[in-house]
Amino acid sequence: MSQVDVCIAVINRLASSFVPQVGMVLGSGLGPFADQVNAVASISFDELPGFPQAGVGGHAGRLVLGHVGNTRVAVLQGRAHYYEHGHADAMAVAIQTFKAMGCEALVLTNAAGSMVTDAGPGSVMLLTDHINMTGVSPLFGAQGNQRFVDMTQAYHHGLNDAMRSAAKANNVTLHEGVYAWMCGPHFETPAEIRALKVLGAQAVGMSTVPEVILARHQGLPVCALSIVTNYASGMSPTPLSHEQTMEYAKMATEDVERLLNAFLQNYEVPV
Ligand code: HPA
């Protein structure tokens, strides 16, 4: 039995016949959104082989299954990062389990640095594309032609439009931008940020991109939001730290929770 098969067996035992529509990954500071789920089951990652072990502050390490409004969701409270062990496929089992459970779409969230003056700490950014600056792929070692994933529309236009509508209807200012994935765990230098700006990125972070690639490999449509926790390196006198990330993530939490709620209330199968 594969790890995904074991995870599905555990999930079926604890939440039999529950088929989620939307899979979600809650990034740093966004974990409390899981409390808004009318939960059918809450499963510790310890019980799910291959799921990330909680490590970074702000991550609870639970899979919460349940409803937000009428929409069935599977919410991952916590994620694994490439920088933890140097494995870009750290989220492979989790994303494959979303697909195997029956999810039709994936919503990813993260904390990120902003390279745009207009989008300061506490703002929210919809990702329209990404730049993988790490040189690695979570699909290293994958077999078959399916591994040659088309990344042309990695961030689904229909889901993005739905997120824009949800933002508009709820007075949430939704910035948009391209996310640069840096491996971390160190923050960037000012020179790196200047380079990323030239390359066309507006946000910078240490997660999400491997999950996008894994999801597209599974044929799952993706939508992703960044919570801006800081101006990127060299743009502000405030020193960069994980504590700052966690503190400023809270500034946008209310907006993002309202946005995610509205998105889920009006969720339709992506076409
Ligand atoms: N750089 C990389 N990752 C981040 C940042 C940043 O400035 N802020 C939050 N995550």
Side-chain angles (χ1 to χ4, degrees), residues 111-114 182 186-188 204-206 229-233 240 245:
S114 168
M182 300 292 275
H186 53 277
F187 287 104
E188 299 70 34
V204 58
M206 307 173 192
T229 53
N230 56 280
Y231 282 119
S233 171
L240 298 177
T245 299

Side-chain angles (χ1 to χ4, degrees), residues 15-243:
S16 64
S17 74
F18 181 83
V19 179
Q21 297 158 280
V22 182
M24 302 178 78
V25 179
L26 302 179
S28 297
L30 264 180
F33 179 75
D35 298 336
Q36 306 210 4
V37 178
N38 196 352
V40 170
S42 175
I43 308 170
S44 163
F45 288 172
D46 296 340
E47 295 191 56
L48 300 167
F51 270 57
Q53 296 308 302
V56 183
H59 289 172
R62 278 185 302 171
L63 173 66
V64 180
L65 307 172
H67 297 84
V68 175
N70 287 325
T71 303
R72 298 182 303 279
V73 295
V75 179
L76 222 61
Q77 213 176 5
R79 62 150 57 86
H81 303 83
Y82 174 52
Y83 62 70
E84 290 172 59
H85 305 280
H87 302 301
D89 64 352
M91 290 290 283
V93 171
I95 301 295
Q96 287 163 19
T97 301
F98 276 148
K99 175 69 180 180
M101 290 175 76
C103 287
E104 308 154 344
L106 186 62
V107 175
L108 302 169
T109 63
N110 62 40
S114 168
M115 291 179 267
V116 190
T117 318
D118 276 356
S123 50
V124 188
M125 200 182 280
L126 176 71
L127 303 188
T128 54
D129 208 340
H130 72 230
I131 305 174
N132 178 354
M133 295 298 296
T134 66
V136 299
S137 169
L139 300 179
F140 283 168
Q143 300 296 312
N145 288 348
Q146 212 192 336
R147 73 185 128 169
F148 302 109
V149 180
D150 182 356
M151 296 295 289
T152 315
Q153 201 194 117
Y155 300 81
H156 191 272
H157 292 179
L159 292 174
N160 283 357
D161 279 342
M163 201 60 87
R164 290 182 185 109
S165 303
K168 205 166 173 192
N170 288 275
N171 295 319
V172 174
T173 305
L174 189 58
H175 298 269
E176 300 198 8
V178 173
Y179 176 92
W181 177 33
M182 300 292 275
C183 71
H186 53 277
F187 287 104
E188 299 70 34
T189 63
E192 285 168 341
I193 293 303
R194 286 194 299 275
L196 293 178
K197 283 185 188 174
V198 172
L199 292 178
Q202 284 79 41
V204 58
M206 307 173 192
S207 68
T208 306
V209 167
E211 292 139 56
V212 174
I213 297 168
L214 288 162
R216 296 307 302 135
H217 185 232
Q218 296 292 315
L220 275 172
V222 174
C223 183
L225 294 173
S226 283
I227 288 189
V228 173
T229 53
N230 56 280
Y231 282 119
S233 171
M235 293 177 66
S236 143
T238 315
L240 298 177
S241 69
H242 187 62
E243 289 68 31

